[in-house]
Amino acid sequence: MEDLLKIGGVDLKSRLFVGTGKFSSYEVMKNAIGASGSQVVTVALRRIDLESQEENVLNFVPKDCVLLPNTSGARTAEEAVRIARIARAAGCGNWIKIEVISDNKYLLPDNYETIKATEILAKEGFIVLPYMNPDLMVAKRLKEVGAAAVMPLGAPIGTNRGLKTKEMVRILIDEIDLPIIVDAGIGKPSEAAEAMEMGAAAVLVNTAIATAGDPATMARAFDLAVQAGRMAYLSRPGATKLYAEASSPLTGFLE
Amino acid sequence: MEIVVNGKREFIDQSVSILEYLSLKGLDPNRAVVEHNYHVVKKEEWGNIILKENDQLEVLRFVGGG
């Protein structure tokens, strides 16, 4: 049977979600998205500069991708809800990544406001994917109020520092009956593979791809790593042991 | 009369619809999302809403983000 990730009524083959920020150009971004094989792509919503003609990012995202607008810039649940409604009115679907942040140094999400926004938007029919600080009780509440998945951070946004929250993410995977998607902080394919081996449903990567010397090749590397990690998880890794245990027979040696 | 567009006050003529205002600015309607006095306005309705004194308009678009 094909291993698909089901979110909001959509069957996803790729478990790598990608962001569209920080690329040197939309052309470079387009090539990286193509190379990643990703089917879910995040975008942000901002004021138009009416004095200048800027290109439309959506022209560089494959049409068959699910668009996942984020609520970046929101500092309260109210602001996140407002951004989500505007994004939906743009006619690009009803998925929304809730991001409520008022901490400018580490950009850590406000879990309390995130739960409030998730509840309101889930009731309005949005497919809500909240970005959160990995905490079991918060994840439980997000599930109760209608989140479609939970997106704990691996490390602060844009740091490329890897799975610093590994133990807490592992607990969420163990306890929460929703897809757990590690978002933020993943800097290298090996870290994406590690998250997938643990049983994460998917990972969301932006900075690590966008700021690589060769973004398209890095995107391909992430695709392979996510697939490898997922396969390893599904094949149930063997037990770890403290002492050596010979792999070769311990009998029949030459005299 | 004066309206507020993306946080900035601006003088415009009377009896201008949202659609006409955006056309005057040379904006491609396909890349914009509009909020009028905190209400999201669908593209089909842009032509029906005439801007009034002190109206608040947010004109937004999608950009790269994570």
Side-chain angles (χ1 to χ4, degrees):
Chain A
M1 205 177 75
E2 203 173 11
D3 172 42
L4 298 169
L5 171 58
K6 292 177 196 297
I7 296 179
V10 179
D11 289 338
L12 300 166
K13 211 170 162 179
S14 168
R15 291 170 179 271
L16 172 60
F17 295 10
V18 294
T20 55
K22 299 181 187 165
F23 284 92
S24 57
S25 74
Y26 282 159
E27 204 58 49
V28 169
M29 180 199 86
K30 182 185 174 183
N31 292 332
I33 295 173
S36 74
S38 179
Q39 295 171 286
V40 178
V41 175
T42 64
V43 288
L45 199 61
R46 290 291 180 275
R47 283 173 167 172
I48 282 185
D49 179 358
L50 293 163
E51 308 307 319
S52 78
Q53 286 293 328
E54 297 138 321
E55 286 197 280
N56 183 352
V57 66
L58 301 185
N59 292 340
F60 297 84
V61 176
K63 296 292 171 232
D64 53 355
C65 284
V66 175
L67 273 189
L68 178 58
N70 66 36
T71 65
S72 62
R75 286 154 299 172
T76 62
E78 198 180 13
E79 288 173 4
V81 167
R82 184 179 171 203
I83 294 168
R85 287 173 181 158
I86 297 171
R88 182 159 70 174
C92 299
N94 59 350
W95 287 43
I96 191 79
K97 170 181 160 179
I98 303 288
E99 195 177 322
V100 186
I101 295 172
S102 51
D103 157 42
N104 290 330
K105 187 172 180 186
Y106 291 106
L107 299 177
L108 292 174
D110 183 327
N111 280 347
Y112 177 68
E113 294 292 316
T114 300
I115 295 169
K116 285 202 288 185
T118 299
E119 181 164 22
I120 295 166
L121 293 169
K123 277 186 185 146
E124 293 182 13
F126 282 88
I127 306 302
V128 186
L129 290 83
Y131 170 59
M132 53 95 73
N133 210 328
D135 176 280
L136 180 60
M137 293 308 139
V138 171
K140 283 185 175 177
R141 297 213 163 97
L142 287 169
K143 180 175 159 57
E144 279 166 18
V145 300
V150 175
M151 303 213 290
L153 61 98
I157 294 171
T159 58
N160 285 345
R161 284 162 59 84
L163 267 183
K164 297 297 173 194
T165 58
K166 188 174 175 180
E167 276 311 300
M168 296 302 130
V169 171
R170 192 188 60 73
I171 292 171
L172 298 194
I173 291 168
D174 191 35
E175 292 291 317
I176 303 295
D177 187 21
L178 276 183
I180 304 297
I181 301 169
V182 179
D183 178 9
I186 290 180
K188 291 189 284 293
S190 56
E191 293 153 4
E194 187 181 13
M196 297 306 295
E197 282 170 13
M198 276 165 57
V203 296
L204 197 163
V205 180
N206 185 352
T207 302
I209 294 174
T211 64
D214 178 349
T217 304
M218 186 59 89
R220 173 91 176 113
F222 267 102
D223 179 27
L224 295 173
V226 167
Q227 289 187 47
R230 178 66 184 175
M231 278 175 162
Y233 169 72
L234 293 175
S235 51
R236 301 186 303 280
T240 54
K241 288 175 183 171
L242 188 56
Y243 299 110
E245 190 180 280
S247 299
S248 308
L250 291 173
T251 55
F253 293 117
L254 295 178
E255 288 297 328
Chain B
M1 64 174 191
E2 259 191 342
I3 60 169
V4 180
V5 183
N6 287 355
K8 288 183 195 155
R9 297 199 76 84
E10 194 175 315
F11 280 101
I12 64 161
D13 291 334
Q14 302 278 352
S15 335
V16 172
S17 72
I18 292 175
L19 184 64
E20 284 161 343
Y21 171 79
L22 295 177
S23 304
L24 285 170
K25 290 282 172 183
L27 198 81
D28 172 7
N30 292 320
R31 64 186 196 100
V33 199
V34 172
E35 198 192 58
H36 175 243
N37 297 338
Y38 296 91
H39 290 287
V40 183
V41 186
K42 288 184 179 160
K43 282 192 179 66
E44 306 87 70
E45 293 165 27
W46 291 0
N48 303 331
I49 297 176
I50 306 298
L51 294 167
K52 294 188 297 293
E53 182 83 35
N54 291 324
D55 271 4
Q56 303 254 356
L57 213 55
E58 288 286 341
V59 188
L60 306 143
R61 66 185 173 115
F62 286 114
V63 297

